[in-house]
Amino acid sequence: MIFLLALAGFLVCSFSLRAEEESSKEPYRLAAQQFIDKARPLYGQDIHYGLKSAETLITEAATPENLEQVFLVLNYYYALEDKEKMRAYADQLAALAQKLDRPDMTRLVEIYRSYTLALDGDYSAAIRELEAQLKTALEIRDHLAAVMLYDALALLEPFQGEFYIALQYAEKATRLLRHVPYEKRLRLHLYNTLTYVYTELEDLDKTLEFANLALDMVKETGLYMDISTVVYNVGLALQSEKSYVLADRYLEELLIFYKESGQAEQNIYPYYGLALNAYEQKKYPLSLSYVERALLFADTSEDFAVSLRQLGAELYALTGQVDKARDYRSRVEAFFSANPSYQNSQWANLNLRMDAEIAYAEGRYKDAYRIFAQYNEKALAQAEKSFSNDVYKLRAGLEATMRIEKAEQGILLERGELKIQQMMFLVGAFLVVLVVVLGALVVQRRTVVALEKSQREAEDANQSKTEFLANMSHELRTPLNAIIGFSEMMTGKVYGPLGHENYDEYADMINSSGHHLLNIISDILDMSKVENGALALHELECDLVEFVQAAIRVFADQARDRDIALQLDAPDNLPLLSADLRILNQILYNALSNALKFNRQGGRIEISLMQKPDTGGMRITVSDTGIGMTEEELVHVMKPFAQVQNSLTRAHEGTGLGLPLMAAFMKLHGGTLDVTSEKDQGTTLIMDFPPSRTL
């Protein structure tokens, strides 16, 4: 009875949801119809036509005009993701940039070269290189390179399942667009990127929004754009809304466009979309026919070809053609063996679903059950990793769950227990769908509420911490200043002798401890202010050489007592530096204090100053021959209040704020602190200020 009630409830929910879905599709249909009507007259602005004229204008001359023309064509091939053409024109652009002394263009060439790694299938390497280039571009304020890097990363992150990171990169690119040349061209490409990302997120509203923005810009500016790809993406977004008729219309129109424009090799893409549409509607023979037609153009795209063979293997298995399914499976396996970087890609898990379908078609129900379970487990793991794509992953998990039950049915059939289990399979499958769908909605809502609550609690706690530290700073500093002042009067014997010689020593200890405690409180308060953005810089010009020499004189007596050599290496005519002198003094004090504290008798400390030739920024380097640290210890001490505990460091007092506070101060100046260390060999601190602070 419970099962029947649950089944009835599920059917009621299904019908109401379906009615709501059908009514909500009407605006989609209207918007989609308006979009295709807007796109059709603009097919003449497709990049395919722009390339025909742009390439003919390129010459061998080393002129600014020719450099701009090569850059334009390279941008076109970047939009089309033609890796061979990209590499060829990148080499040509690099040669021209060198002859014309254009380091800005040289940096752009490296972006294109790194992007081609992703087109080879190595997405992780491409993202690593692009992120490193982005850091450099931001440091030297190369806004053009930064915008292009943000756009490239936004295109690649979805292949790692990081859709919201992709949207963040796109948002950052939008902020910088007004400050760069080629603004309209870059904005147009960014609209294309966002159209693609929202297609992957199955958000038809946003997909249409940015696709329409792209078409409006083409119409307004006359720029060329990869219009066919935008139309393709909208077609796939319609598929996610189950508007299969409209999606088919989009894809069939692309077939006509490719035929008229002489791009028959591009047919792989619309045929692939049509195959997916038919598959979603369980029209397996029709889907297979599209797969076979698409594979006639397999050389156009390895990525799409392997996806088509995965789909083809599954379809052949579903239609009982096991031999053909295994043939497709072997080709897929050969591709993944030859391209190991794809093992963790978004396509890898589909191999399990394909294997499970083949096993089920061959009657190996236990194997099918086991493989479907693996597929379901990986699909759920991917869903947890990328919450932004949870709708797709949930659907995949549900499909896998249903097929697990189907495989179990086959096993029970072999045991002769089908009659009773058949009803339980149907009811259980409906219950699984109901529980998982409702559970996913509940979990999603609870997650949002929990995150909002955690954020509020963290903000309240942070504010309380700031107020507490400010109050405690005042409460502690007032009596400490009194202690320090009175102890100085006692050591100075302002009102005469203290009466006993031990009192002189005690007064010195009280004064020294008071100063030490006051320094600790100041460090903690400074760290708190930096973390909360409450520490403002009071910038002045300074002669860095004189400033460092003054700091060295403070520690000269300590170094002499321990026979430690202090050496300064600075060039003549070093430019002035703009910085907060109090904070700069504290940075140098901490650096030299640590170098002395953890050095050995008879050791050496070298301080070097220089202006970096590549960026023009100022660099301070402090190296010592002290005890050094391992990689694990170095990671540990970069955390606030952390200290490396060994026989030497335990002999010295401290809060563990030295290096973290220096790093925070450098970041406040727009600079960086890099620390390298080797156990028993010494430690080197490298402090780099941005070029904007060089006067």
Side-chain angles (χ1 to χ4, degrees):
M1 186 68 179
I2 294 174
F3 284 119
L4 293 176
L5 287 172
L7 176 59
F10 173 75
L11 292 174
V12 170
C13 290
S14 297
F15 290 138
S16 62
L17 287 172
R18 188 176 302 140
E20 182 181 344
E21 176 186 302
E22 288 300 322
S23 63
S24 67
K25 281 183 186 176
E26 292 305 324
Y28 293 152
R29 290 195 179 99
L30 179 60
Q33 178 61 54
Q34 291 172 342
F35 176 80
I36 198 66
D37 291 341
K38 182 193 292 187
R40 195 178 294 110
L42 296 174
Y43 281 152
Q45 294 299 120
D46 190 83
I47 281 183
H48 171 75
Y49 295 110
L51 270 171
K52 287 183 177 180
S53 59
E55 284 188 292
T56 61
L57 299 176
I58 293 176
T59 67
E60 298 296 325
T63 62
E65 294 77 16
N66 195 41
L67 179 137
E68 291 292 332
Q69 195 63 30
V70 173
F71 180 51
L72 173 64
V73 171
L74 182 52
N75 263 289
Y76 285 161
Y77 281 117
Y78 166 58
L80 295 174
E81 296 193 337
D82 187 327
K83 61 185 178 182
E84 301 304 330
K85 291 287 189 179
M86 281 180 67
R87 285 175 175 138
Y89 281 107
D91 290 343
Q92 188 172 353
L93 184 62
L96 285 170
Q98 185 176 6
K99 290 178 182 178
L100 297 171
D101 191 22
R102 290 286 301 274
D104 57 329
M105 281 294 173
T106 302
R107 287 191 289 272
L108 299 184
V109 167
E110 293 308 312
I111 297 173
Y112 293 118
R113 286 175 174 164
S114 297
Y115 192 83
T116 58
L117 293 176
L119 301 182
D120 288 331
D122 198 345
Y123 294 97
S124 298
I127 290 172
R128 281 196 305 271
E129 288 192 10
L130 291 169
E131 285 175 340
Q133 292 166 18
L134 177 61
K135 181 180 178 183
T136 301
L138 294 175
E139 285 176 354
I140 64 176
R141 298 186 179 183
D142 186 344
H143 291 158
L144 175 58
V147 168
M148 294 188 64
L149 285 159
Y150 280 136
D151 180 72
L153 287 165
L155 277 170
L156 297 184
E157 287 292 352
F159 288 92
Q160 307 271 35
E162 304 290 355
F163 294 97
Y164 286 116
I165 290 178
L167 292 177
Q168 289 171 8
Y169 279 134
E171 190 269 337
K172 290 178 180 179
T174 304
R175 290 185 188 178
L176 291 177
L177 272 173
R178 294 182 180 274
H179 309 290
V180 299
Y182 318 108
E183 177 197 347
K184 291 183 178 178
R185 192 193 306 171
L186 293 173
R187 189 180 297 277
L188 182 58
H189 196 277
L190 191 60
Y191 287 157
N192 288 350
T193 299
L194 286 165
T195 301
Y196 157 70
V197 174
Y198 280 114
T199 299
E200 291 295 307
L201 283 170
E202 298 183 352
D203 187 334
L204 181 58
D205 280 338
K206 285 291 185 180
T207 300
L208 281 168
E209 176 186 339
F210 285 102
N212 275 300
L213 285 171
L215 291 187
D216 290 341
M217 178 162 278
V218 168
K219 188 175 181 180
E220 175 190 344
T221 62
L223 291 171
Y224 290 97
M225 183 185 78
D226 189 7
I227 293 177
S228 57
T229 297
V230 174
V231 172
Y232 175 77
N233 283 330
V234 175
L236 290 188
L238 285 166
Q239 181 191 99
S240 68
E241 293 295 331
K242 303 188 186 306
S243 295
Y244 299 118
V245 175
L246 257 178
D248 282 350
R249 180 182 168 193
Y250 269 66
L251 298 167
E252 287 164 357
E253 184 152 324
L254 281 179
L255 290 172
I256 297 171
F257 169 69
Y258 288 141
K259 180 179 179 181
E260 292 176 350
S261 61
Q263 300 181 79
E265 72 280 356
Q266 302 296 316
N267 285 342
I268 186 173
Y269 304 115
Y271 278 137
Y272 176 72
L274 289 165
L276 286 178
N277 268 5
Y279 175 82
E280 290 290 331
Q281 298 173 79
K282 303 189 185 308
K283 299 176 181 178
Y284 299 138
L286 177 61
S287 182
L288 257 179
S289 70
Y290 285 133
V291 168
E292 290 169 350
R293 276 185 261 180
L295 285 173
L296 295 175
F297 311 99
D299 293 340
T300 304
S301 171
E302 288 183 334
D303 294 348
F304 275 76
V306 72
S307 295
L308 282 161
R309 290 194 175 99
Q310 286 176 320
L311 180 60
E314 191 173 341
L315 289 166
Y316 276 127
L318 286 167
T319 55
Q321 303 177 68
V322 179
D323 290 341
K324 289 185 177 181
R326 286 208 161 276
D327 176 55
Y328 272 40
R329 176 65 181 95
S330 64
R331 297 190 185 195
V332 171
E333 186 175 359
F335 173 84
F336 278 91
S337 298
N339 298 274
S341 60
Y342 279 78
Q343 294 295 342
N344 297 319
S345 69
Q346 58 181 336
W347 301 287
N349 197 32
L350 295 177
N351 289 337
L352 291 173
R353 194 173 77 179
M354 175 177 53
D355 289 340
E357 289 290 3
I358 292 174
Y360 187 81
E362 292 177 338
R364 296 184 289 110
Y365 303 117
K366 290 182 180 179
D367 289 341
Y369 172 85
R370 176 179 51 80
I371 298 169
F372 272 127
Q374 292 175 8
Y375 169 69
N376 186 40
E377 182 180 349
K378 287 192 174 184
L380 291 175
Q382 290 173 352
E384 291 174 3
K385 179 182 177 184
S386 179
F387 187 76
S388 61
N389 204 22
D390 60 347
V391 176
Y392 169 80
K393 297 298 191 302
L394 176 61
R395 186 175 66 200
L398 290 174
E399 289 176 357
T401 303
M402 294 291 290
R403 294 197 181 280
I404 290 171
E405 298 290 348
K406 188 177 179 182
E408 285 180 335
Q409 176 190 355
I411 297 170
L412 293 173
L413 182 63
E414 292 180 329
R415 297 176 181 174
E417 301 173 4
L418 179 63
K419 289 185 179 179
I420 297 176
Q421 298 297 336
Q422 203 168 29
M423 177 61 72
M424 293 189 68
F425 160 71
L426 292 172
V427 175
F430 283 132
L431 284 173
V432 167
V433 174
L434 178 62
V435 170
V436 174
V437 170
L438 295 179
L441 293 173
V442 171
V443 169
Q444 181 176 354
R445 178 58 188 161
R446 286 180 178 176
T447 301
V448 171
V449 172
L451 286 173
E452 291 175 349
K453 181 181 178 183
S454 298
Q455 183 178 359
R456 287 194 301 270
E457 291 174 350
E459 290 172 351
D460 292 342
N462 195 45
Q463 182 62 30
S464 299
K465 181 196 76 171
T466 302
E467 293 174 357
F468 170 77
L469 288 173
N471 293 332
M472 289 304 295
S473 169
H474 173 73
E475 295 297 330
L476 291 172
R477 280 179 170 178
T478 301
L480 268 177
N481 285 327
I483 291 170
I484 292 170
F486 287 133
S487 63
E488 286 176 350
M489 292 176 65
M490 293 168 68
T491 56
K493 299 181 177 62
V494 174
Y495 297 111
L498 299 179
H500 193 283
E501 61 182 10
N502 286 348
Y503 291 156
D504 293 335
E505 181 183 354
Y506 297 160
D508 285 336
M509 291 175 63
I510 291 170
N511 186 262
S512 175
S513 298
H515 278 292
H516 179 66
L517 186 55
L518 187 60
N519 289 335
I520 290 174
I521 292 170
S522 296
D523 283 352
I524 293 173
L525 187 62
D526 283 344
M527 178 61 79
S528 176
K529 285 181 177 178
V530 171
E531 288 179 348
N532 289 280
L535 187 61
L537 294 179
H538 302 285
E539 302 179 33
L540 293 172
E541 299 177 2
C542 79
D543 186 325
L544 196 54
V545 177
E546 292 182 1
F547 206 83
V548 174
Q549 286 174 340
I552 290 174
R553 284 195 291 272
V554 173
F555 294 95
D557 291 341
Q558 295 181 41
R560 193 180 305 111
D561 292 342
R562 296 180 57 196
D563 192 24
I564 295 175
L566 272 171
Q567 180 181 341
L568 173 62
D569 179 19
D572 296 331
N573 301 322
L574 194 67
L576 297 179
L577 177 70
S578 173
D580 187 309
L581 302 189
R582 182 189 72 82
I583 291 178
L584 180 60
N585 186 65
Q586 193 166 348
I587 292 171
L588 291 170
Y589 179 89
N590 284 345
L592 293 175
S593 176
N594 283 342
L596 276 170
K597 184 189 299 184
F598 302 116
N599 218 323
R600 298 184 176 86
Q601 189 80 14
R604 188 176 68 259
I605 299 173
E606 296 179 356
I607 306 104
S608 67
L609 309 177
M610 65 173 291
Q611 183 180 16
K612 296 171 66 177
D614 53 345
T615 65
M618 304 288 274
R619 169 174 289 182
I620 305 173
T621 305
V622 179
S623 301
D624 66 63
T625 57
I627 60 175
M629 294 173 282
T630 63
E631 290 185 9
E632 293 77 11
E633 291 172 341
L634 183 56
V635 172
H636 183 64
V637 298
M638 291 306 294
K639 300 174 183 177
F641 303 103
Q643 294 174 303
V644 176
Q645 297 299 318
N646 56 43
S647 59
L648 182 55
T649 59
R650 274 194 296 268
H652 302 281
E653 296 178 339
T655 59
L657 278 176
L659 285 174
L661 193 57
M662 289 170 64
F665 283 157
M666 289 301 300
K667 185 177 181 181
L668 195 62
H669 280 81
T672 59
L673 169 69
D674 291 322
V675 185
T676 59
S677 190
E678 187 174 350
K679 196 69 173 176
D680 298 323
Q681 298 298 317
T683 301
T684 298
L685 308 182
I686 301 174
M687 290 153 277
D688 283 331
F689 290 89
S692 59
R693 295 195 169 275
T694 303
L695 304 178

